[in-house]
Amino acid sequence: MSYSHTIGSVTHRFDDLKTLLARASPARSGDELAAISAQTAEERVAAQMALADLPLQEFRRQLLIPYEADEVTRLIADEFDADAFANFAHITVGEFRDWLLSEQATAEALAALAPGLMPEMAAAVSKIMRLQDLIAVASKIRVVTRFRTTVGLAGRLSTRLQPNHPTDDPTGIAASILDGLLLGSGDAVIGINPASDSVDSVVTLLRLVDRIRATLQIPTQSCVLAHITTQMEAMRQGAPIDLVFQSIAGTEAANSSFGVNLAMLREAWQATRELERGECGDNVMYFETGQGSALSANAHHGVDQQTCEARAYAVARHFRPMLVNTVVGFIGPEYLFDGKQIARAGLEDHFCGKLLGLPMGCDVCYTNHAEADQDDIDALLTLLGNAGVNFVMGVPGADDVMLNYQSTSFHDALYLRALLGLRPAPEFEGWFERSRLELPHAVKQLASGRLHV
């Protein structure tokens, strides 16, 4: 089925639904690289107008990737909640935007709707929204998850303490952890990206973080962000695993490029829940995503990168995760060229994830060859704080010396909490107030060698 919209004397035609979505996307380098973006600003506006007039039901009738060819499509179609969608079955994408911005779209109404939304619907409405629209709607949505801390409550902002080290040196990682704890970071998770994906190295790091957590009695959760198969082997060897991590994408082929599928994720989810290590909840999965991942694997099926990203949220939603974050500028300028594109993508991702019922965080970041700088990061961090983001990253000095990219620092999170009157997760906040005088002593013990890691 084709679509069209006339501007003046020119009629713009779009061959199918995925073409319409791609042409309606705000400009970004990834879609240009894939040769699916609008060629002119007028064509983009025409596509957005045609999209605004499209009934939401069209996304049920036309699957962007065939059901029989893609397990993510099958997951989306099979888990669609028709009852939750029933009151919206008669409206268009444009009317949906109007409703989202209305007083009728309360937190309760948005939560009830989430199971009845396909990710393509969320992506579509985001394409016709301004930045202030994305912020205004997302700020109404709270998605709360629990393991040892409660993340996502109103008036709270959590952080992932990210103490990466280029050689996985335990002493260096321990020093970064204590540095972050002193500055109130780590209530979402203490999560290490290992330099090595070997099982032995991952087991060592898991035991290190768990020993620090237990010694200082920190109410938080730990994670080593190795491949899920490595984490599962570490679990079989008795390593103390709280959250299981995996990067995911919005197509079966893209997930295959990561070496995963839904069955593998399901096995890990079930095994980790059976450990019963949580103290106030059993949300045990941690997912990371990012616009451009499907395209970079040549696994996008002609679908624009933002819609592919939204489809990844259907995968995440199935597993009731503790944390989901879009690593928004990490893949590089081939997909998000500059600070303007990174900011738009970060707010789109956060909006779509929250609308679909996910506990969204964001790694507000950029690579050094992108047309972006720390001012862009400050701007997006501030916008996301107002949008109600669940958590952001805490990286020593905002400079990840292992992954070689720029993110947000411990101090950046303190800035946002102070600016907006936000606080850490309640369990962590209580521990910090009780322990703040003991933490400097732990740092001195580490420096003197008396705290063994």
Side-chain angles (χ1 to χ4, degrees), residues 211-426:
R211 189 156 60 247
I212 293 174
R213 182 193 63 79
T215 300
L216 299 178
Q217 299 181 317
I218 311 166
T220 189
Q221 33 284 333
S222 62
C223 185
V224 174
L225 285 69
H227 192 271
I228 198 165
T229 55
T230 307
Q231 295 170 81
M232 292 301 290
E233 180 56 34
M235 185 186 299
R236 283 188 281 271
Q237 294 186 17
I241 288 184
D242 292 339
L243 306 185
V244 167
F245 163 82
Q246 183 56 50
S247 294
I248 56 172
T251 72
E252 179 179 349
N255 284 323
S256 294
S257 76
F258 290 146
V260 298
N261 55 41
L262 295 180
M264 188 182 298
L265 294 174
R266 196 169 290 115
E267 178 187 359
W269 180 42
Q270 292 170 348
T272 310
R273 291 179 67 197
E274 288 171 3
L275 296 177
E276 297 184 340
R277 289 174 57 84
E279 295 176 6
C280 62
D282 66 348
N283 300 115
V284 298
M285 302 300 284
Y286 175 16
F287 295 117
E288 287 187 345
T289 67
Q291 290 193 27
S293 57
L295 175 58
S296 68
N298 195 27
H300 63 297
H301 298 271
V303 178
D304 70 272
Q305 67 181 38
Q306 190 252 334
T307 302
C308 280
E309 171 74 2
R311 284 170 56 92
Y313 302 152
V315 177
R317 180 169 62 176
H318 177 73
F319 297 100
R320 297 176 45 240
M322 177 72 184
L323 308 168
V324 180
N325 73 278
T326 168
V327 192
V328 66
F330 183 73
I331 302 181
E334 299 85 358
Y335 307 96
L336 297 170
F337 181 72
D338 56 16
K340 181 180 176 67
Q341 292 188 9
I342 291 171
R344 171 84 199 186
L347 291 169
E348 287 171 347
D349 296 350
H350 178 258
F351 163 84
C352 288
K354 282 283 186 70
L355 193 61
L356 293 166
L358 287 178
M360 290 300 295
C362 184
D363 190 343
V364 185
C365 63
Y366 64 96
T367 57
N368 287 312
H369 61 310
E371 290 294 321
D373 59 25
Q374 208 62 38
D375 286 343
D376 296 305
I377 295 305
D378 286 348
L380 179 53
L381 177 68
T382 305
L383 293 172
L384 283 166
N386 282 279
V389 70
N390 277 24
F391 68 102
V392 295
M393 304 300 113
V395 177
D399 184 2
D400 193 303
V401 295
M402 195 278 283
L403 293 174
N404 292 310
Y405 78 118
Q406 308 303 309
S407 184
T408 48
S409 71
F410 307 137
H411 296 84
D412 291 331
L414 292 177
Y415 145 75
L416 200 57
R417 284 172 175 162
L419 179 71
L420 301 177
L422 304 173
R423 296 151 60 193

Side-chain angles (χ1 to χ4, degrees), residues 20-28 31 44 48 127 304 306-307:
L20 176 63
L21 288 167
R23 301 293 195 272
S25 282
R28 62 207 62 201
D31 292 339
R44 179 170 291 110
Q48 291 171 340
K127 295 177 191 298
D304 70 272
Q306 190 252 334
T307 302

Side-chain angles (χ1 to χ4, degrees), residues 18-76:
K18 66 182 177 183
T19 301
L20 176 63
L21 288 167
R23 301 293 195 272
S25 282
R28 62 207 62 201
S29 51
D31 292 339
E32 293 172 7
L33 179 66
I36 59 174
S37 63
Q39 296 301 297
T40 65
E42 182 178 295
E43 184 186 23
R44 179 170 291 110
V45 170
Q48 291 171 340
M49 296 294 287
L51 184 61
D53 291 337
L54 189 75
L56 281 178
Q57 283 276 25
E58 195 71 16
F59 294 100
R60 296 193 65 193
R61 291 193 286 264
Q62 288 199 65
L63 300 176
L64 299 187
I65 303 172
Y67 183 92
E68 64 277 4
D70 184 87
E71 69 172 359
V72 176
T73 297
R74 293 193 289 276
L75 180 71
I76 292 168

Side-chain angles (χ1 to χ4, degrees), residues 181-214:
L181 292 172
L182 282 165
L183 293 167
S185 185
D187 55 325
V189 65
I190 299 175
I192 307 168
N193 296 93
S196 167
D197 202 58
S198 75
V199 175
D200 288 346
S201 178
V202 169
V203 169
T204 296
L205 295 179
L206 284 165
R207 289 176 175 161
L208 164 67
V209 182
D210 197 61
R211 189 156 60 247
I212 293 174
R213 182 193 63 79

